[in-house]
Amino acid sequence: MIPHETWLEMAVELALESVREAGGRPFGAVIVKNGALVATGVNELHRTGDPTAHAELQAIREACVRLDTPRLDGCTVYASGHPCPMCLAAMHLCGVDACFYAYSNAEGEPWGLGTAPIYEQLAKPLAEQSLYIRHMPVRPEGEDLYEVWARTRKG
């Protein structure tokens, strides 16, 4: 079995390669299942302009395609940096079992790469967050959205 440190080194090497060769942000991710490499990803914001193109999400997208499932149960994510709240939420949503990261939020903070302020915002009740977010239960006439989904979904 390959040790966690080896997979983490791979994630950091991917990040270094992305920085050196493409001018990307310093983030790489590796997804492993049953001791085998499933997918990799690097931050592609610089290339795509997509602020959600984080290394972990790119790797999750690739893993889901390769495994032909939206579930990543049994998988481990190895990330060069502390996953942001968006990436952490994605790991929860798709069932990743574990995540290891090489660089902490505190280490990224001096470089403008920490996400601790976002974690702090998300820990507050919705009404106290800096993003204005409110529930407005508007329902157009006709069929209920979730009832239609329940009737038409497969499996």
Side-chain angles (χ1 to χ4, degrees), residues 139-143:
R139 305 293 189 268
E141 293 293 322
E143 295 181 285

Side-chain angles (χ1 to χ4, degrees), residues 12-37:
V12 172
E13 285 297 327
L14 285 168
L16 284 167
E17 183 179 316
S18 177
V19 169
R20 289 182 182 133
E21 295 180 10
R25 295 172 63 95
F27 299 105
V30 172
I31 297 181
V32 174
K33 184 172 186 175
N34 298 325
L37 177 66

Side-chain angles (χ1 to χ4, degrees), residues 69-137:
T69 178
R71 298 292 307 170
L72 297 180
D73 301 284
C75 289
T76 299
V77 173
Y78 296 91
S80 61
H82 186 281
C84 76
M86 175 180 64
C87 293
L88 184 60
M91 289 181 220
H92 281 286
L93 284 168
C94 68
V96 165
D97 284 0
C99 177
F100 297 86
Y101 57 94
Y103 285 80
S104 70
N105 243 331
E107 290 171 300
E109 191 61 39
W111 309 100
L113 299 170
T115 57
I118 300 170
Y119 276 103
E120 290 169 11
Q121 279 296 309
L122 292 174
K124 296 178 181 180
L126 288 178
E128 295 175 22
Q129 292 182 19
S130 61
L131 173 70
Y132 187 82
I133 181 168
R134 296 295 181 271
H135 176 229
M136 295 180 67

Side-chain angles (χ1 to χ4, degrees), residues 43-46 48-54 57 61 84 86-87:
N43 186 294
E44 295 188 24
L45 170 63
H46 67 289
T48 64
D50 178 353
T52 69
H54 289 199
L57 291 183
R61 290 175 182 125
C84 76
M86 175 180 64
C87 293

